[in-house]
Amino acid sequence: MQAFLGLDVGSVSTNIAVLNMQDQIIDNLYIRTQGRPIDAVQSGLREIKERNPELTIEGVGTTGSGRQLAGIVVGADSIKNEITAHAVAAIHIVPDVQTVIEIGGQDSKLIIIRNGIVTDFTMNTVCAAGTGSFLDQQAARLNIPIEAFGERAIESSASVRVAGRCAVFAESDMIHKQQTGHQIPDILNGLCQALVRNFLNNLGKGKELKGPIIFQGGVAANKGMKRAFEEALNCSVIVPTYHNVMGAIGAALLAKEQMAKLEQATVFHGFDIVDFTYTPRSFACDGCPNICEVIELKMNDQITAMWGDCCGKWSKSMPL
């Protein structure tokens, strides 16, 4: 079966989507990166190949904070930033979408779309408050499985105000609420409301959030967060079926678009890369005052790529 492959490699999760020639999602995978993006990519592709032995890959796209590294490892035809990938996927799922809320493991994004074009966006990469990793930490501290966090939050019938502007303050406030006898569902609901206030006050400040509104990313699985957004925005919020792999879906769609433009065969290295050995390292280039951090990647003991230099001294020395 002919298909396009999309990979979204982030600091918390590595997501893979497989789309057929009709842009239908035929398989997807969400795994933890665990600080080893190359291992995560190899492990994910191995599982995809085992589940779909008949696949013929016509194009590959990568996105996420590890998109450059993943693109070199797999041989990507398209390497795009997360804003582009998430917007393309959202428009694919809901063509008239006007607002995209995306909350991942380590950052959050707000994308404004008008008439199918991204007109504005903003990201929060400074504070962990409101991200998936912070919710993971709080669920673990309360001894609640993260999968049950949302269900417990929507059991709440009483409002408890939790400070959400800073992760440290939020955790301290939650501990204080526990010590004063508040019920766990009420505290979880209060945390969801606090994180939504934080998101809207920081990323949504001065922006017009119009419906349809899509909520995507791993945190979108949290029903408490969805309800908190709907209460704050006073409108319904759509959580797509494949909310946790939307970046990968967008990357696959962008790869298909790129292949149509280039009209040439994919540069995908094939599924054999799952058994290759990759060794990355970095060094500081002292060729000028910029002192760029140059990344070097060896594949099976051969230098296969270098990047990170502003002038191209090292990256342009590599064969195309």
Side-chain angles (χ1 to χ4, degrees):
M1 177 187 291
Q2 293 175 301
F4 288 91
L5 199 60
L7 293 94
D8 181 0
V9 182
S11 54
V12 173
S13 68
T14 293
N15 315 317
I16 301 176
V18 184
L19 274 61
N20 63 17
M21 302 304 283
Q22 291 74 45
D23 298 339
Q24 297 167 327
I25 301 153
I26 56 176
D27 201 0
N28 70 96
L29 189 67
Y30 177 98
I31 58 176
R32 296 278 179 170
T33 304
Q34 297 182 322
R36 300 191 299 274
I38 295 175
D39 291 348
V41 167
Q42 290 180 300
S43 174
L45 290 182
R46 183 180 292 109
E47 190 168 338
I48 289 290
K49 181 60 177 176
E50 288 173 355
R51 297 192 320 209
N52 306 274
E54 76 289 357
L55 278 184
T56 299
I57 300 302
E58 299 294 334
V60 180
T62 62
T63 188
S65 57
R67 60 185 179 274
Q68 195 71 39
L69 177 62
I72 291 167
V73 168
V74 301
D77 303 290
S78 164
I79 300 175
K80 299 292 184 181
N81 62 58
E82 300 103 300
I83 297 294
T84 304
H86 278 282
V88 166
I91 294 169
H92 178 66
I93 301 296
V94 181
D96 59 344
V97 62
Q98 297 204 82
T99 304
V100 179
I101 295 168
E102 197 278 338
I103 303 181
Q106 290 284 4
D107 63 29
S108 50
K109 311 172 189 68
L110 176 64
I111 307 172
I112 305 298
I113 299 172
R114 297 292 182 264
N115 300 316
I117 298 171
V118 175
T119 59
D120 197 3
F121 70 91
T122 184
M123 292 181 66
N124 174 24
T125 58
V126 177
C127 180
T131 65
S133 58
F134 179 64
L135 291 175
D136 269 349
Q137 290 172 8
Q138 296 313 308
R141 193 180 61 78
L142 295 169
N143 197 27
I144 296 173
I146 187 62
E147 295 80 9
F149 188 112
E151 293 288 351
R152 293 296 306 276
I154 60 175
E155 291 174 6
S156 169
S157 57
S159 179
V160 173
R161 191 169 182 87
V162 174
R165 185 167 292 276
C166 167
V168 176
F169 293 159
E171 182 170 330
S172 299
D173 209 19
M174 289 175 65
I175 293 170
H176 174 70
K177 294 293 188 294
Q178 286 178 269
Q179 291 169 334
T180 54
H182 289 283
Q183 297 298 306
I184 294 296
D186 296 336
I187 296 173
L188 295 177
N189 186 45
L191 178 61
C192 291
Q193 293 173 338
L195 299 186
V196 166
R197 282 197 306 274
N198 186 27
F199 182 96
L200 296 177
N201 289 337
N202 289 312
L203 276 67
K205 188 175 183 180
K207 294 180 170 53
E208 189 177 14
L209 309 189
K210 290 183 177 179
I213 298 175
I214 284 187
F215 182 20
Q216 55 197 45
V219 175
N222 187 317
K223 294 180 180 178
M225 289 292 291
K226 177 179 183 289
R227 185 175 74 171
F229 269 118
E230 290 179 332
E231 289 174 348
L233 296 169
N234 196 29
C235 68
S236 61
V237 171
I238 302 167
V239 175
T241 303
Y242 300 102
H243 59 85
N244 58 342
V245 296
M246 292 291 278
I249 292 171
L253 292 168
L254 287 162
K256 181 180 181 182
E257 183 181 311
Q258 179 76 355
M259 298 311 294
K261 287 180 183 174
L262 296 177
E263 296 183 342
Q264 65 184 35
T266 178
V267 295
F268 178 47
H269 296 326
F271 286 100
D272 289 344
I273 65 150
V274 300
D275 297 317
F276 288 0
T277 300
Y278 292 93
T279 310
R281 79 176 185 98
S282 66
F283 61 89
C285 174
D286 58 2
C288 77
N290 283 331
I291 314 179
C292 296
E293 182 184 20
V294 181
I295 313 297
E296 176 191 280
L297 182 68
K298 286 185 178 179
M299 181 176 70
N300 294 337
D301 294 328
Q302 297 292 320
I303 298 176
T304 186
M306 301 177 83
W307 69 93
D309 47 341
C310 296
C311 65
K313 173 183 176 181
W314 301 96
S315 54
K316 289 180 181 176
S317 67
M318 300 304 300
L320 297 175

